[in-house]
Structure formats: structure tokens, C-alpha cells
Amino acid sequence: MKHYKFILSGGGTGGHIYPAIAIANELKLRFPDAEFLFVGAQDKMEMQKVPQAGYPIKGLWISGLQRKLTLQNAMFPFKLINSLWKSRKIIKEFKPDVVIGTGGFASGPLLQMANSMNIPTVIQEQNSFPGITNKLLSKKANAICVAYNNLERFFPADKMILTGNPVRQDLIDIDSKRDEAIKYLGLDASKKTLLVLGGSLGSRRINQLIEKERGKITAQNVQVIWQCGKLYFEEYKKYQTENVQVFAFIERMDLVYAAADVIVSRAGASSVSELCIVGKPVVFIPSPNVSEDHQTKNAKAIVDKKGALLLKESELDAEFSLVFEALLKDKGKQLQLSENIKQLAMPDATKVIADEIVKLIK
């Protein structure tokens, strides 16, 4: 049997890193003696998360363009040339059968170089509105795995496969873990639990909201699991009480999802895909500070099918407590949102993406 080699690149946020790790894990199940190498941006979180998952990683000196004139932007051409050169060197030494990109700064130069060296490439696009890097790379990619319909205006239609986004497999059956979750998190089983998720890096605006509303929330016999992000933990850990648990980062996502009755979340693509599988009532608060406002588009894809509620950041002060209280009291609405969001889940995404990769190398 041929000894396969795979290079994967994805990073910057958990939303790019976890899909890449999930795809690697699935390929490893199929080809136990295959070799894997990850390529990331040298100062981003993938440099920790990928080795924790058991894979080697090399870093490129690359970062995104800032939206204003900065020294970082002046350095960008040098970083790009350096990263293209280093990508070429990595590819020549490792000799991959296929290169897989899940988004993030490093995947641009790496896949660009693989394309120019005639090595098969696969793009996994998580969002309903792709970023500029993947749009450029798609022209030469062999396969583009997408999570949403109607992306023909961005990508060549004949290369697209609707697969969904890879998610943690331990989320597939969380209903059976509720008792374990309540015990693990030290929760009160007689109270409702609100789970607050600001994305892997945290969200200042959602943290400010919970800081302001936490008294009102807990007064309704609700306990809070609050993932504030490692950037904000020092600032918000003082709010830790019996009814409010504050976390920088949550390792056991399966258990916090199992414990949750209602979820407030950003609308990054990976979070949205996970929440479809989890199937709990969700209030999305999309980040307006992302390229092409793609989080709002991700959330709307669910809201339009009556699978979640959506609040804009600008509406939070006026609307949040009204929307949250109404949802908490309305069992029928909770059930309707749960049923509808579950219909949109694609639990086999990782397997389907691996199938496409295998087609290329066979």
C-alpha cells in the first residue's frame, strides 16, 4: 500500500484550526501509516493547538492586511515573498500527495505554491461568504468543499462539493451526557443554564453585554457558563460566582453543550455548524468586525429557516433582555428552534471531505 503524505494548513482562529485537525484525524483512520505536516502562521494559536492534537507544524512569517495604513501593511509584500519561498521549500522536502487548506493566513501562500508545482489542492471553505484568499486559490484548486449552497458566484461550480463543516465527533450524541455534564461543571440541576460563547478568541461586545445583564439573568433562576476568551479573562474573572462560571477557553465543549438550555454565540462558521448538531435554542450575535460581514450571513442562513434568533450588536442594549426573557418562558419556541436547527446539521462532513481527498490521490 502506498505511503501517503498530507500537508494541511488552517489557522488564526479555532474556526480554521479544528476543521484541519478533524480532516487529518479522519485521514489517519483510513491511512494509519500516512505522514502529516501542518503549516501555520508562526505567531498564531495553531502553533500550540496543532502539536496538542499530536501533529507537527511549521510556521510561516505571514499575517493579514490591516484595514488601515500600518507598518504591518508595509511589511506585507516581504512577508508574502518569504512565505511563498518557505512554502516551496517545505513542499519540496516533504513531497505531499495533496495539500489541504481550511483558511487562515498561511493557507494562501502554501496552496498558491502547491498549485504552481502541480500538486493537487483541496480547499475547505467554512463560510457562506468566502474570503479573498480562497476566491483566488479556487481557480486552480482540484476540489472545493463548501458548507453552504449558492456559492457559484465565488467558485467554479464544477469543483464544488457540498459537504458541510467538520465538527468535533464528540458532539454527535450530547443528550446522553447531560447528567455527566452537570456533575462535571458543578451545576444546579434545578436551574436553567445559559451558555455564552464569544468564539475562540473571545468577544469584547458580548462580554460587556453579560457583564451588564448578569444580575437580570441569574435573577430568573438561570446559571451562566461564560467563555470570555483568553484576551479578556483577567478582566472578567472577578465575576465568577456560584451562578456564573467564567472560562478563558473551554476544553470539554461536548459537556458545556450538553448542559446548556439556551446558547448565546458569535456566528463563526465552525460555531454555526456545531450548533446545528447540538440542536439547542440559539441567539446569534454576529461580529460586525469580520471581512464581508460574513458572520451575519452565516447566521442568516439559519435564521431564514427559523432555526435561531439573531441580534445585531447595535440592538443589544435595547433588545437583549426582552428577547432572552421571552425565549426562556416560551417552551414551544425553544422546541421549534431546536427542531429546525437540527434539520440543517451535516454530521458526516469530515468523512465526505476525506472521500473527496481520497478520490484525488487514488
Side-chain angles (χ1 to χ4, degrees):
M1 190 175 159
K2 185 170 167 4
H3 180 78
Y4 290 111
K5 291 182 165 193
F6 302 100
I7 294 184
L8 299 99
S9 178
T13 66
H16 294 310
I17 299 165
Y18 293 118
I21 291 171
I23 293 166
N25 290 343
E26 177 63 30
L27 290 168
K28 197 172 186 172
L29 279 176
R30 300 183 187 203
F31 309 108
D33 58 350
E35 274 183 73
F36 294 87
L37 177 64
F38 279 69
V39 174
Q42 64 189 21
D43 52 354
K44 296 290 184 192
M45 66 190 271
E46 55 265 29
M47 301 311 287
Q48 282 85 48
K49 297 292 171 199
V50 169
Q52 280 169 12
Y55 294 103
I57 185 165
K58 292 193 169 179
L60 302 180
W61 184 46
I62 188 78
S63 56
L65 282 164
Q66 311 295 313
R67 299 199 175 188
K68 46 193 184 298
L69 220 56
T70 59
L71 180 64
Q72 275 248 342
N73 279 357
M75 296 297 288
F76 183 77
F78 302 103
K79 289 184 174 183
L80 182 60
I81 290 163
N82 179 283
S83 296
L84 285 164
W85 176 81
K86 191 166 177 190
S87 294
R88 183 182 170 81
K89 191 166 175 273
I90 289 169
I91 291 168
K92 276 186 86 159
E93 283 171 6
F94 190 75
K95 300 186 176 63
D97 294 282
V98 62
V99 175
I100 302 141
T102 60
F105 303 136
S107 65
L110 182 78
L111 269 75
Q112 175 67 31
M113 206 32 98
N115 285 336
S116 74
M117 296 164 79
N118 292 323
I119 288 162
T121 59
V122 176
I123 293 171
Q124 195 266 317
E125 172 56 66
Q126 292 108 31
N127 288 296
S128 56
F129 203 96
I132 188 159
T133 310
N134 278 354
K135 284 186 219 166
L136 292 171
L137 292 170
S138 68
K139 295 176 178 47
K140 294 229 173 119
N142 296 69
I144 306 158
C145 299
V146 296
Y148 292 91
N149 283 309
N150 309 320
L151 295 189
E152 291 79 9
R153 63 185 196 279
F154 306 114
F155 295 142
D158 56 333
K159 295 181 183 179
M160 280 196 304
I161 309 101
L162 182 67
T163 59
N165 282 323
V167 294
R168 302 166 228 247
Q169 291 304 291
D170 57 4
L171 303 183
I172 304 290
D173 178 34
I174 56 162
D175 295 343
S176 64
K177 298 183 183 177
R178 192 166 170 98
D179 294 342
E180 183 195 345
I182 285 170
K183 199 168 142 192
Y184 177 84
L185 293 158
L187 295 168
D188 180 340
S190 68
K191 291 181 174 173
K192 292 273 184 219
T193 301
L194 168 66
L195 171 61
V196 180
L197 300 172
S200 56
L201 302 172
S203 153
R204 173 166 293 287
R205 189 63 191 89
I206 290 179
N207 289 340
Q208 289 168 340
L209 174 75
I210 302 303
E211 178 178 36
K212 178 172 158 264
E213 301 283 348
R214 66 188 200 290
K216 273 193 203 164
I217 293 168
T218 53
Q220 296 171 77
N221 205 28
V222 173
Q223 54 206 340
V224 183
I225 298 170
W226 178 6
Q227 182 253 324
C228 67
K230 67 173 195 237
L231 298 176
Y232 305 104
F233 184 67
E234 289 307 314
E235 191 180 338
Y236 289 99
K237 65 180 181 189
K238 62 182 182 231
Y239 297 119
Q240 181 94 18
T241 62
E242 191 188 351
N243 288 317
V244 179
Q245 296 190 36
V246 186
F247 294 93
F249 186 82
I250 298 170
E251 290 294 340
R252 290 297 306 269
M253 283 307 292
D254 57 327
L255 295 185
V256 293
Y257 281 136
D261 295 292
V262 176
I263 300 170
V264 167
S265 176
R266 280 298 198 210
S270 287
S271 301
V272 173
S273 297
E274 287 190 359
L275 290 164
C276 290
I277 285 175
V278 167
K280 301 278 174 95
V282 180
V283 180
F284 284 120
I285 304 173
S287 169
N289 318 313
V290 291
S291 59
E292 316 279 9
D293 196 20
H294 68 249
Q295 286 205 2
T296 301
K297 297 178 174 91
N298 294 343
K300 274 187 117 70
I302 308 296
V303 174
D304 291 347
K305 304 249 167 69
K306 300 190 169 39
L309 304 176
L310 188 153
L311 281 174
K312 292 192 173 119
E313 281 196 356
S314 55
E315 303 168 338
L316 291 178
D317 290 331
E319 303 279 325
F320 177 78
S321 60
L322 299 170
V323 169
F324 179 68
E325 278 176 46
L327 180 59
L328 205 60
K329 290 182 181 139
D330 191 340
K331 280 276 195 295
K333 182 76 173 166
Q334 291 174 29
L335 202 64
Q336 181 205 14
L337 291 176
S338 288
E339 292 299 317
N340 290 346
I341 198 169
K342 270 186 181 161
Q343 301 294 315
L344 305 172
M346 296 186 181
D348 293 330
T350 316
K351 294 186 173 73
V352 181
I353 292 164
D355 290 344
E356 291 302 321
I357 295 166
V358 170
K359 277 183 207 165
L360 278 181
I361 55 178
K362 291 284 165 112

